[in-house]
Amino acid sequence: MLVSVVIPALNEEKNIAACLKSIRVQKYCGRVELIVVDGKSKDRTVALAKKYADKVLVELKPLIAAGRQKGCMAAKGEVLVFSDADVVADENWLSRLVEPFEDEKVACSFGAVYLHDGSALDSFLSKYVFTFFLRASNALGFSSGAGSNMAVRASAFKKLGGFRMVVTGEDVDLQARLRAVGKLVFVPNAVVSTSARRIRKWGFWRFVFFHARNWIKMNLLHEQPMAEYEKL
């Protein structure tokens, strides 16, 4: 099975090489197409990406949804995999994340997201509390993301038209719509680790409150996601 991994990036020269290296050394027996979509970076992101990626594209619209969408439009894989430029993937990440697609009824799978540079409390919360939240949310029929560790069957993605151009919550929105065309599977041992830099910048409780409020708006109130999202 050909899998296309789409990574949006903007000024990520400090992180993107480690991210792409971790994808290139995956213990996945199928073929991997690696696509980076740059948001017009002003640093060495593009130069570094070209060392590892099969395709490096540019998206001028300042939305992560637009970057993910552009990558998907150029992808040839049967399964589209999404992550972020500051992520480092476990070596078995792809094989575990893609395995559920052997069931033709599965439209989406998503895995756990740990923090690799946070405090001991941050690490504990991401590894245990957030993982429990993802599992419970999916079991109850709610959508939770996360776009940094998610895979979608390409045919289902195209049927729905892909991502909506929202400022944030594009992953939750896509998952919610995918429930109408197939099953969603949480894969707790498909693990990526990401940076805690946004938590450090925003502050822990502000970060949690923002995402909790967005989740409630989208899943319980069936409203549009937040219209603003502070960039790093």
Side-chain angles (χ1 to χ4, degrees), residues 33-181:
E33 176 186 46
L34 182 51
I35 302 173
V36 173
V37 184
D38 183 69
K40 205 173 181 181
S41 295
K42 296 180 180 179
D43 61 8
R44 296 177 60 246
T45 297
V46 170
L48 292 169
K50 286 181 177 179
K51 293 182 179 182
Y52 304 98
D54 298 300
K55 299 175 183 177
V56 179
L57 311 174
V58 175
E59 173 55 57
L60 300 182
K61 189 178 294 184
L63 294 173
I64 194 168
R68 297 196 199 280
Q69 185 77 0
K70 183 150 192 173
C72 291
M73 294 303 98
K76 298 179 180 179
E78 299 169 63
V79 174
L80 307 172
V81 176
F82 305 103
S83 196
D84 294 333
D86 60 352
V87 153
V88 175
D90 177 84
E91 63 183 6
N92 294 303
W93 169 62
L94 265 185
S95 59
R96 290 168 176 170
L97 192 64
V98 172
E99 185 177 4
F101 292 93
E102 294 177 5
D103 179 351
E104 294 183 357
K105 294 180 180 179
V106 172
C108 174
S109 68
F110 59 106
V113 181
Y114 299 168
L115 296 174
H116 59 240
D117 59 359
S119 66
L121 177 60
D122 293 335
S123 298
F124 174 84
L125 291 174
S126 66
K127 188 172 183 178
Y128 297 104
V129 178
F130 185 57
T131 299
F132 173 79
F133 164 75
L134 292 174
R135 186 194 302 273
S137 180
N138 190 55
L140 293 171
F142 296 121
S143 302
S144 54
S148 56
N149 190 0
M150 185 169 77
V152 177
R153 193 177 298 277
S155 58
F157 182 88
K158 292 175 183 177
K159 183 176 182 179
L160 296 175
F163 290 102
R164 289 177 176 161
M165 295 299 107
V166 293
V167 173
T168 184
E170 79 289 339
D171 45 4
V172 177
D173 174 77
L174 179 61
Q175 279 192 346
R177 290 183 287 128
L178 284 166
R179 290 186 183 279
V181 298

Side-chain angles (χ1 to χ4, degrees), residues 196-209:
R197 56 187 177 159
R198 193 177 299 279
I199 296 175
R200 289 195 297 268
K201 180 183 178 182
W202 285 19
F204 177 80
W205 290 111
R206 180 185 174 195
F207 180 88
V208 170
F209 179 71

Side-chain angles (χ1 to χ4, degrees), residues 188-221:
N189 64 349
V191 178
V192 300
S193 62
T194 189
S195 173
R197 56 187 177 159
R198 193 177 299 279
I199 296 175
R200 289 195 297 268
K201 180 183 178 182
W202 285 19
F204 177 80
W205 290 111
R206 180 185 174 195
F207 180 88
V208 170
F209 179 71
F210 177 90
H211 289 286
R213 184 169 57 162
N214 214 27
W215 186 90
I216 290 170
K217 279 173 65 70
M218 299 179 74
N219 279 290
L220 301 183
L221 303 179

